[in-house]
Amino acid sequence: MRTTTHPASLRASGLLVAALTVLGTLGTALPDATALPARSDTTSSARTESAPEPVQVAVINGDFSQPAFTADTDTSQVKGWTIRYPYRYSGTASGHPDKAPAILLRNRNTDDHTVSQRLRGVRAGAEVTVTFDDGFGGTASNCPSDQLTQGQPFTVQGEGGARQEFRTEPRDRGWHLGREYTFRASVHEPLITFASTRAAGSWNCGPLLARVRATQVPPPVDKTVTKDRLPEPVAYIGNEAASTKTVADYCATGAQACVFRPEEAYSYRYYDTARTVGETYINCTRNTLKHDRPVAYGDQTLDSLSQSADIDRLANTQDNLRQQFTRSTAWRWSSTSNRKITETIEPGEVSWIEAQAGRQRTEGWFVSTGDNPDQTYRLHVTVDGPSLSLSDRIYQRTGPMTTAEKQRCRADRPSDTTPNGADAPADSNDRGA
């Protein structure tokens, strides 16, 4: 993406009276085998027609405008973002060419100079591109001389990607628009973190951040994951990671505490691995055999909560978590089948029955029903059970005997020994015992 420099002046009362400047040169990324390089003009235009198109990611309060404020600066907690001590500038005071509000990447009274948010709706394995605007924040009196002439350093890192260094332009150069950072997410809803990295200067001298946006190229559906090894569940409260039990217990406190939101693109039907049902019949005779065989088999639902966290709420018909799931997803929790099959077995052949179950898999999130994103409980689960619409397959199979089965068919008939008179003719006067 071509960068654009916008000269602007900043007039504000309070601790910061700064002329904001344009973004500086890009630093060298730290080594990370899973990270993707920052996208450039070449890489962004090199997508083939068959490659998936990026889709928008809903960044919460990406304009830093909520809660609304009218003063030049504001210290209210910023909706959707984790910031220890927020310090915002209005669109007028920020000096942004489009009058966009901005957040200062410095936190007073703490060494934690970060601004972060989890990107909702992003899956592990997605290629994520974050765009943002930045500018110089501070005055000559509260900023070190090297920053006045070289710009202010900061980093951006997405969970699963490399930490990449950036630097604003020197003071009085304006804003840089459309900076880009690309990474591959290692977890669902990865955390994106912006951090000021300078070591000297007043707390109110630091980069300004505005208009954060994101897109993703979602990963393909992985159908190689078996039902007995489902992906581990993940849980969050706001931007913070939480235990699955904590969130599951919260959602189970009431029938309306959470709702289940299935991820349709990652929910699908499939045929399970075939398995043998019942006995194997071996025809050791010289005649064709026909008989009726009863066949009984069944299937059940498995879920990632019980597999990975030993939480059996979805298996409990009375649990609120299960009720929330079934309200949004048509589901068959178990299946049974009883039938009679007439078999024909030729001499020297074996007959057996195989069943291949039709199953369906659903992934999705339990999400609390409150409207405060900073307190939203979220729990990602995978559920795999008998399909409602995909019929099972039953195979009646016959085939040649194995070597062991042939040996068994040729073996002597089991019988007790005859200790007396085994080699003598029968006695005609024998009247029996």
Side-chain angles (χ1 to χ4, degrees):
M1 175 178 284
R2 178 175 294 115
T3 60
T4 307
T5 301
H6 291 265
S9 60
L10 174 65
R11 288 186 182 140
S13 60
L15 292 173
L16 270 180
V17 179
L20 303 180
T21 61
V22 78
L23 144 87
T25 56
L26 184 63
T28 303
L30 298 178
D32 191 317
T34 62
L36 297 174
R39 182 172 297 164
S40 64
D41 289 340
T42 302
T43 57
S44 61
S45 62
R47 289 187 179 276
T48 63
E49 293 183 0
S50 60
E53 288 296 321
V55 295
Q56 200 71 32
V57 174
V59 179
I60 298 173
N61 195 21
D63 290 326
F64 302 104
S65 58
Q66 298 296 323
F69 65 106
T70 57
D72 286 341
T73 60
D74 180 77
T75 58
S76 303
Q77 188 60 51
V78 183
K79 178 181 178 181
W81 295 90
T82 297
I83 312 171
R84 289 291 300 277
Y85 296 100
Y87 201 89
R88 288 187 296 168
Y89 288 86
S90 68
T92 301
S94 70
H96 191 282
D98 296 327
K99 296 189 179 300
I103 193 78
L104 178 68
L105 288 184
R106 297 294 295 178
N107 285 320
R108 66 187 186 279
N109 302 327
T110 180
D111 292 331
D112 179 9
H113 302 294
T114 61
V115 173
S116 59
Q117 180 181 144
R118 289 200 175 274
L119 298 177
R120 316 290 170 90
V122 174
R123 287 180 61 89
E127 179 186 337
V128 185
T129 298
V130 179
T131 62
F132 54 93
D133 302 343
D134 66 74
F136 190 102
T139 64
S141 61
N142 58 26
C143 291
S145 59
D146 62 327
Q147 290 188 43
L148 297 174
T149 58
Q150 301 174 26
Q152 297 165 324
F154 65 98
T155 62
V156 183
Q157 183 173 23
E159 204 164 358
R163 182 182 295 108
Q164 191 165 325
E165 297 178 355
F166 293 85
R167 184 178 288 272
T168 68
E169 287 288 346
R171 185 170 173 262
D172 297 331
R173 293 282 189 88
W175 277 78
H176 182 276
L177 309 181
R179 182 82 94 174
E180 290 189 354
Y181 168 76
T182 300
F183 70 102
R184 193 172 300 282
S186 61
V187 298
H188 294 328
E189 298 196 349
L191 192 71
I192 184 73
T193 302
F194 300 85
S196 171
T197 57
R198 68 158 175 83
S202 173
W203 74 266
N204 54 2
C205 172
L208 296 179
L209 178 68
R211 288 201 304 200
V212 179
R213 304 286 188 268
T215 61
Q216 67 164 324
V217 177
V221 180
D222 183 2
K223 296 185 179 181
T224 65
V225 179
T226 59
K227 68 179 186 296
D228 57 339
R229 296 182 180 274
L230 298 174
E232 291 189 6
V234 295
Y236 303 110
I237 303 175
N239 292 324
E240 300 300 320
S243 75
T244 54
K245 186 178 187 308
T246 296
V247 179
D249 288 350
Y250 175 87
C251 287
T253 56
Q256 307 298 326
C258 295
V259 294
F260 182 75
R261 298 175 181 172
E263 294 180 299
E264 300 295 345
Y266 294 90
S267 302
Y268 58 90
R269 303 177 306 170
Y270 71 99
Y271 277 109
D272 200 4
T273 303
R275 69 181 189 272
T276 301
V277 178
E279 299 86 355
T280 298
Y281 285 80
I282 303 170
N283 187 358
C284 291
T285 73
R286 297 181 178 89
N287 302 310
T288 299
L289 299 180
K290 287 188 177 181
H291 74 107
D292 292 336
R293 173 208 283 260
V295 176
Y297 67 93
D299 225 348
Q300 62 181 350
T301 292
L302 303 174
D303 67 89
S304 58
L305 280 180
S306 58
Q307 280 186 5
S308 301
D310 198 25
I311 299 172
D312 294 329
R313 291 192 174 279
L314 287 171
N316 183 351
T317 58
Q318 303 303 315
D319 195 274
N320 283 322
L321 210 66
R322 174 156 167 167
Q323 301 304 318
Q324 293 157 14
F325 179 86
T326 53
R327 275 199 295 270
S328 61
T329 307
W331 202 257
R332 186 184 184 191
W333 292 94
S334 62
S335 66
T336 57
S337 179
N338 293 277
R339 62 186 65 193
K340 182 178 68 175
I341 295 177
T342 300
E343 289 184 299
T344 300
I345 314 173
E346 299 297 332
E349 286 196 339
V350 178
S351 175
W352 70 98
I353 303 297
E354 291 180 1
Q356 194 171 26
R359 295 183 68 86
Q360 64 189 54
R361 180 168 300 179
T362 292
E363 293 193 31
W365 292 85
F366 286 96
V367 182
S368 61
T369 53
D371 58 1
N372 181 359
D374 300 310
Q375 295 297 322
T376 302
Y377 287 70
R378 305 187 304 285
L379 174 64
H380 186 271
V381 300
T382 304
V383 185
D384 191 298
S387 175
L388 282 167
S389 56
L390 194 64
S391 59
D392 297 338
R393 291 170 173 167
I394 303 298
Y395 298 88
Q396 180 182 348
R397 301 189 60 182
T398 60
M401 297 181 191
T402 65
T403 299
E405 290 165 345
K406 291 177 181 178
Q407 290 174 346
R408 181 61 194 156
C409 282
R410 290 195 297 266
D412 291 339
R413 177 172 59 87
S415 176
D416 290 338
T417 59
T418 307
N420 298 314
D423 55 352
D427 184 353
S428 60
N429 295 323
D430 186 5
R431 298 168 185 252

